[in-house]
């Protein structure tokens, strides 16, 4: 669905996430980092503080992480997830992406993912499922593409690590619902490819098709006819 701006996208995304948590207070949520979902997380923190929704029994599942960082490294994506989602929303249950060989089984053991909250990479990646990526890719370690290295250099003044762990494409697709948030004119081209091209390895996000996926895009990101 297309909404006016990033603020409206945050409200709509927050509505979807809050609905899932109200329906299932122990929901397992795969949580994206990046700038796009931050306003939605801030809106959810506000609602949690007002007692409108309770995240205390939710399981926050990590989507991706750089390889080779110390626990307290400012580039750590787990730190990002904690700061933007876990702590402000009052989440107490977490599943970190530390061991790629057990992660998918760990998710299965908790009954699977109820929702994957996702942003869209400039190269069409979801998490760090870098192109080319087929829809059956499992959780694994990957080399980041030059495009992701450039894009992620926005987040901090230190060099971007070149390897990462990512929840697999198949892991993401296994979530019972997927929410893709896309805002800003710089995402227009890749969103058009995501939605309009035949699903393919070239644009990993194009594997997201079907009724269980909601795309919330703002007017600036909306593909033009
Ligand atoms: P962004 O990052 O939300 O900061 O644009 C998205 C991504 O690279 O996955």
């Amino acid at each position: 669905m297309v909404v006016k701006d990033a603020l409206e996208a945050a409200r709509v995304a927050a509505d979807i996430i809050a609905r899932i948590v109200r329906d299932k207070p122990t929901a397992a949520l795969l949580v994206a980092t990046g700038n796009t979902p931050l306003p939605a997380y801030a809106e959810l923190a506000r609602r949690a503080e007002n007692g409108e929704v309770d995240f205390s029994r939710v399981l926050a599942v990590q989507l991706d992480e750089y390889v080779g960082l110390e626990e307290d490294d400012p580039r750590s994506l787990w730190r990002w997830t904690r700061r933007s989602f876990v702590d402000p929303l009052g989440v107490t249950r977490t599943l970190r992406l530390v061991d790629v060989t057990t992660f998918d089984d760990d998710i299965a053991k908790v009954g699977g993912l109820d929702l994957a909250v996702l942003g869209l990479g400039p190269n069409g990646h979801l998490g760090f499922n870098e192109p080319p990526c087929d829809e059956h890719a499992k959780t694994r370690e990957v080399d980041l593409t030059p495009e992701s290295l450039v894009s992620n250099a926005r987040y901090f003044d230190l060099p971007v690590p070149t390897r990462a762990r990512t929840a697999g494409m198949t892991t993401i697709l296994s979530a019972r619902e997927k929410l893709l948030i896309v805002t800003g004119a710089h995402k227009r081209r890749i969103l058009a490819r995501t939605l309009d091209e035949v699903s393919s390895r070239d644009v990993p996000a194009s594997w997201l098709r079907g009724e269980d996926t909601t795309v919330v895009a703002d007017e600036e990101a909306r593909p033009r006819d």
Side-chain angles (χ1 to χ4, degrees), residues 33-37 119-122 125 127 151-152 154-155 186-187:
T33 55
N35 287 331
T36 310
L120 179 62
H125 73 201
S151 171
N152 290 19
R154 290 172 295 155
Y155 303 137
H186 62 301
K187 295 285 175 74

Side-chain angles (χ1 to χ4, degrees), residues 83-133:
R83 193 177 56 236
S84 64
F85 190 88
V86 170
D87 291 346
L89 275 61
V91 171
T92 59
R93 299 169 57 233
T94 59
L95 177 58
R96 289 180 63 174
L97 176 44
V98 177
D99 184 344
V100 294
T101 66
T102 56
F103 189 68
D104 290 339
D105 285 344
D106 290 344
I107 289 174
K109 276 185 207 144
V110 296
L113 297 166
D114 294 290
L115 174 69
V117 182
L118 303 161
L120 179 62
N123 58 358
H125 73 201
L126 298 177
F128 281 129
N129 287 285
E130 303 282 69
C133 174

Side-chain angles (χ1 to χ4, degrees), residues 42-64:
E43 170 66 13
L44 288 170
R46 193 190 61 73
R47 294 185 194 185
E49 205 158 300
N50 290 346
E52 293 169 43
V53 56
D54 178 9
F55 281 85
S56 63
R57 295 165 64 205
V58 160
L59 179 70
V61 182
Q62 187 173 14
L63 175 63
D64 46 20

Side-chain angles (χ1 to χ4, degrees), residues 1-224:
M1 76 186 68
V2 178
V3 298
K4 189 161 69 75
D5 53 23
L7 203 65
E8 189 60 21
R11 274 196 288 267
V12 171
D15 285 347
I16 292 169
I17 299 167
R19 188 241 315 146
I20 299 244
V21 171
R22 275 197 209 98
D23 286 353
K24 184 176 176 186
T26 58
L29 310 182
L30 191 66
V31 179
T33 55
N35 287 331
T36 310
L38 292 181
Y41 298 165
E43 170 66 13
L44 288 170
R46 193 190 61 73
R47 294 185 194 185
E49 205 158 300
N50 290 346
E52 293 169 43
V53 56
D54 178 9
F55 281 85
S56 63
R57 295 165 64 205
V58 160
L59 179 70
V61 182
Q62 187 173 14
L63 175 63
D64 46 20
E65 182 59 282
Y66 297 116
V67 168
L69 300 184
E70 297 294 330
E71 184 80 17
D72 57 352
D73 192 294
R75 295 166 290 184
S76 154
L77 295 178
W78 179 245
R79 271 175 59 125
W80 182 312
T81 303
R82 234 178 37 215
R83 193 177 56 236
S84 64
F85 190 88
V86 170
D87 291 346
L89 275 61
V91 171
T92 59
R93 299 169 57 233
T94 59
L95 177 58
R96 289 180 63 174
L97 176 44
V98 177
D99 184 344
V100 294
T101 66
T102 56
F103 189 68
D104 290 339
D105 285 344
D106 290 344
I107 289 174
K109 276 185 207 144
V110 296
L113 297 166
D114 294 290
L115 174 69
V117 182
L118 303 161
L120 179 62
N123 58 358
H125 73 201
L126 298 177
F128 281 129
N129 287 285
E130 303 282 69
C133 174
D134 77 57
E135 65 186 311
H136 303 296
K138 292 194 185 328
T139 295
R140 67 206 179 285
E141 270 191 28
V142 297
D143 289 320
L144 299 189
T145 58
E147 218 166 355
S148 290
L149 294 174
V150 169
S151 171
N152 290 19
R154 290 172 295 155
Y155 303 137
F156 31 73
D157 291 331
L158 296 161
V160 181
T162 57
R163 272 185 83 71
R165 298 186 286 274
T166 184
M169 183 57 61
T170 188
T171 317
I172 291 170
L173 294 175
S174 74
R176 286 180 270 278
E177 285 193 45
K178 298 90 169 165
L179 167 63
L180 178 67
I181 313 170
V182 190
T183 55
H186 62 301
K187 295 285 175 74
R188 190 185 301 157
R189 204 184 118 269
I190 192 64
L191 180 59
R193 295 193 64 197
T194 298
L195 299 176
D196 298 342
E197 290 182 9
V198 175
S199 298
S200 83
R201 296 156 53 87
D202 299 338
V203 182
S206 69
W207 296 121
L208 281 179
R209 297 274 162 91
E211 282 171 12
D212 53 10
T213 294
T214 305
V215 180
V216 178
D218 73 355
E219 197 48 57
E220 286 190 349
R222 178 175 64 86
R224 301 297 185 252

